[in-house]
């Protein structure tokens, strides 16, 4: 009986994958997903890990540059301060890019906003390449800010673009590609950073420019691919252009259901015009969507994944892993992320979003509890330190296969078109502020809490599990207007938001 069940499960997944491949390859959808990915979330993933390998070389470059300018050896504190600016100002650029999403994407459209972001990335690459020959670390700082701006703009636009090109039945698998390309970027940053490839002192400036190659590909290819159908229909009012875009993306068909859904959404937007971020914050009808968005992003970023990506070397060193083995362990982390996201694609449209959130968060919390125990007992036996990396691998599987894989899909589903741009601005601001906070605070947490530093991450994961279990409605297979009604009907202390709005209207 078990063999029959296993066979049925494998056969079912094979059928799902064949169906998805047929749907994705009938038009230009698959090509568009790849082109968006390599110059969207891939860039952010690469830039998250690209500084890990060349950090000693860049610091030596800063040291030698200051010595040539002033004729004396700079203090370690000065070099460290400049290095920290190079690392942290990336988040400042990301914040500026996130704030500009509404204006640039709303004015230029999704496609031209992505091309604009890639062109700005070329400017950053020129600064990085020239910095070594100009002997100017200031050019690296400027380049990191510009790179951050492109990441803040392109990642939000990338996620939005994916959500707007995908039919309802494929929304989960299409938007999941955002996370897949992000993890592919992280792995590429670790891989190219190996000394056998570009991780050498004479090549560090070329290592930082690898994503530029993909930006050039996007600039050349993307103009020939369709614009977002939802943007064309709802925001531009071009119904024929929308229909042609759908047919180019997904093959010939009438797409009556998709057009009717957009028409209903457009009618709702005519009743309530597009909002600014401040107006969205004041709108009580989307209160639960905003609370959900804020809670999930806080739990995702504060449950430990960002710290594992940026400070994996320090974590494994503290766990007792030999230095010469750590870089290969981190490569394994990146490969695990990609494989998990691919596997998640076969589950997200079957299990739904809600289960993957609360169960993923719960299992992540369990991993951090056991990781705290193994770090505390690492000196008790020679094999104990090796359990911690295994737990971190499990944590990545539960994170990528649950909350991380489902977040881009959910954020695209819980806001209608008139609210989505403002929501992405708020999401981007929150994300980049948290990234900057973690970058500044985590080293002090590691040194201050020692083996108990993961308790905080476990608490955030547990909070995410409880919130999504009790308050997050299932969004699988529903229209955006149906999902909005689900959020309005959430009851707390016997009251729902819709009842509050009715009461306010009567008053």
């Amino acid at each position: 009986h078990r063999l029959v069940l296993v066979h049925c499960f494998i056969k079912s997944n094979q059928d799902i994958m064949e169906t998805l491949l047929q749907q994705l390859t009938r038009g230009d959808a698959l090509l568009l997903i790849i082109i968006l990915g390599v110059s969207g979330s891939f860039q952010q993933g690469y830039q998250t890990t690209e500084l890990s390998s060349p950090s000693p070389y860049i610091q030596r470059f800063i040291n030698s540059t200051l010595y040539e300018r002033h004729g004396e050896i700079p203090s370690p504190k000065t070099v460290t301060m400049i290095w920290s600016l190079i690392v942290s100002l990336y988040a400042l650029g990301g914040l500026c890019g996130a704030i500009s999403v509404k204006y640039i994407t709303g004015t230029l459209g999704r496609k031209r906003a992505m091309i604009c972001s890639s062109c700005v990335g070329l400017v950053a690459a020129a600064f990085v390449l020239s910095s070594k020959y100009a002997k100017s670390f200031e050019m690296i700082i400027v380049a990191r800010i510009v790179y951050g701006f492109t990441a803040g703009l392109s990642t939000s636009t990338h996620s939005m673009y994916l959500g707007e090109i995908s039919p309802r039945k494929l929304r989960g698998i299409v938007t999941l590609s955002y996370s897949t390309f992000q993890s592919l970027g992280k792995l590429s940053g670790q891989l190219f950073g190996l000394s056998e490839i570009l991780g050498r002192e004479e090549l560090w400036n070329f290592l930082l420019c690898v994503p530029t190659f993909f930006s050039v590909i996007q600039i050349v290819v993307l103009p020939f691919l369709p614009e977002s159908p939802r943007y064309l229909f709802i925001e531009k009012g071009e119904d024929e252009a929308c229909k042609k875009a759908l047919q180019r993306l997904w093959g010939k068909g009438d797409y009556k259901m998709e057009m009717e859904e957009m028409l209903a959404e457009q009618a709702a937007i005519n009743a309530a015009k597009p909002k600014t971020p401040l107006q969205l914050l004041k709108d009580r009808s989307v209160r639960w969507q905003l609370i959900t968005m804020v809670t999930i992003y806080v739990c995702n970023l504060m449950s430990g994944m960002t710290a594992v990506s940026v400070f994996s070397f320090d974590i494994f060193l503290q766990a007792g892993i030999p230095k010469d083995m750590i870089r290969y362990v981190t490569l394994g982390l990146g490969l695990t992320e990609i494989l998990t996201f691919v596997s998640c694609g076969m589950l997200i449209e079957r299990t739904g979003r809600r289960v993957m959130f609360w169960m993923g968060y719960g299992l992540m919390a369990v991993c951090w509890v056991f990781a705290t125990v193994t770090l505390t007992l690492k000196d008790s036996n020679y094999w104990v330190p090796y359990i911690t990396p295994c737990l971190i691998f499990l944590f990545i599987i539960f994170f990528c296969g649950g909350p991380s894989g489902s977040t881009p899909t959910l954020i695209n589903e819980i806001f209608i078109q008139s609210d989505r741009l403002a929501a992405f601005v708020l999401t981007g601001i929150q994300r980049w502020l948290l990234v900057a906070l973690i970058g500044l605070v985590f080293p002090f947490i590691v040194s201050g809490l020692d083996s108990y530093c993961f308790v905080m991450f476990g608490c955030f994961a547990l909070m995410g599990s409880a919130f999504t279990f009790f308050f997050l409605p299932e969004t699988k297979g529903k229209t955006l207007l149906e999902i909005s009604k689900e959020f309005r009907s959430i009851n707390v202390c016997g009251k729902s938001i819709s009842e509050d709005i009715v009461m306010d209207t009567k008053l």
Side-chain angles (χ1 to χ4, degrees), residues 296 299-305 356-371 391-392 394-404 454 457-462 464-465:
I296 285 175
C299 291
N300 282 2
L301 289 168
M302 298 301 290
S303 61
M305 189 60 200
M356 298 184 77
F357 271 107
W358 71 260
M359 188 175 289
Y361 281 129
L363 292 171
M364 287 156 54
V366 172
C367 287
W368 285 135
V369 169
F370 282 107
L391 289 168
I392 291 177
L394 283 174
F395 165 80
I396 287 174
I397 290 171
F398 297 140
F399 177 74
C400 298
S404 180
F454 299 127
F457 298 144
C459 291
F460 276 101
L462 196 60
S465 180

Side-chain angles (χ1 to χ4, degrees), residues 34 119 134 174 207 474:
I34 293 171
C119 291
V174 171
L207 173 63
E474 181 54 67

Side-chain angles (χ1 to χ4, degrees), residues 219-241:
I219 291 170
V220 173
V221 177
L222 192 56
F224 300 99
L225 294 173
E227 177 59 274
S228 157
R230 281 184 173 274
Y231 170 76
L232 291 172
F233 186 87
I234 297 175
E235 295 189 29
K236 303 295 287 183
E238 300 174 3
D239 52 341
E240 281 300 318

Side-chain angles (χ1 to χ4, degrees), residues 69-81:
R69 288 182 186 178
H70 306 292
E72 57 183 23
I73 298 174
S75 66
K77 186 177 180 180
T78 303
V79 175
T80 304
M81 183 186 70

Side-chain angles (χ1 to χ4, degrees), residues 4 28 48 116 180 194 227 364 384 393 436 506:
V4 170
D28 295 333
T48 300
C116 173
T180 305
L194 294 175
E227 177 59 274
M364 287 156 54
V384 174
F393 272 89
K506 288 179 178 179

